[in-house]
Amino acid sequence: MKDENQNCYETAEQCLFTRFETKPTGDYLLPYSGLLFARLTPASEGEILTLTYITHTVTITGSKLSALLQIIHKGRAETIRVASSQADGNPTPSVRGITITEGHQESGVQ
């Protein structure tokens, strides 16, 4: 059972895969080697981090996601899950939702 104060991510020195824990559809392991690009965009309530892989698109909603993007950029994101940051002044990301879909989703870039 998950602890309510659990961080929204875990890191490791070297990761071949990132594990995305989603309640409705289960857990996914996606390889770093399949990550094509990442995009962080502002949203009405927080931010949206879109990770486009060869086979799937991962959409993460939350706040302070630039810190999570840095962890992904360094290849150290081992697990990402829905969880809140511990305090308002904390720079730790807060993930409100994770959606994983097969294929590439249009990001609405204009």
Side-chain angles (χ1 to χ4, degrees):
M1 179 180 270
K2 288 193 296 188
D3 180 354
E4 266 185 43
N5 294 323
Q6 189 174 27
N7 284 333
C8 64
Y9 68 91
E10 294 173 18
T11 62
E13 286 301 314
Q14 295 180 353
C15 296
L16 296 176
F17 293 84
T18 299
R19 176 188 180 111
F20 296 93
E21 296 180 355
T22 66
K23 287 185 181 183
T25 57
D27 297 347
Y28 288 78
L29 287 174
L30 293 174
Y32 263 104
S33 62
L35 182 61
L36 299 174
F37 69 90
R39 180 170 185 243
L40 181 65
T41 55
S44 58
E45 292 185 21
E47 299 168 314
I48 299 172
L49 178 57
T50 305
L51 306 172
T52 301
Y53 288 84
I54 294 169
T55 58
H56 292 78
T57 299
V58 178
T59 305
I60 301 171
T61 57
S63 58
K64 303 175 187 169
L65 296 180
S66 60
L68 182 57
L69 179 60
Q70 283 296 103
I71 299 294
I72 293 167
H73 177 243
K74 292 177 182 178
R76 297 187 62 212
E78 182 177 47
T79 303
I80 300 174
R81 66 179 65 85
V82 174
S84 295
S85 52
Q86 307 267 332
D88 292 336
N90 192 343
T92 303
S94 177
V95 174
R96 285 192 308 275
I98 300 172
T99 305
I100 301 175
T101 54
E102 289 187 31
H104 303 279
Q105 303 300 307
E106 293 298 321
S107 60
V109 178
Q110 294 184 11

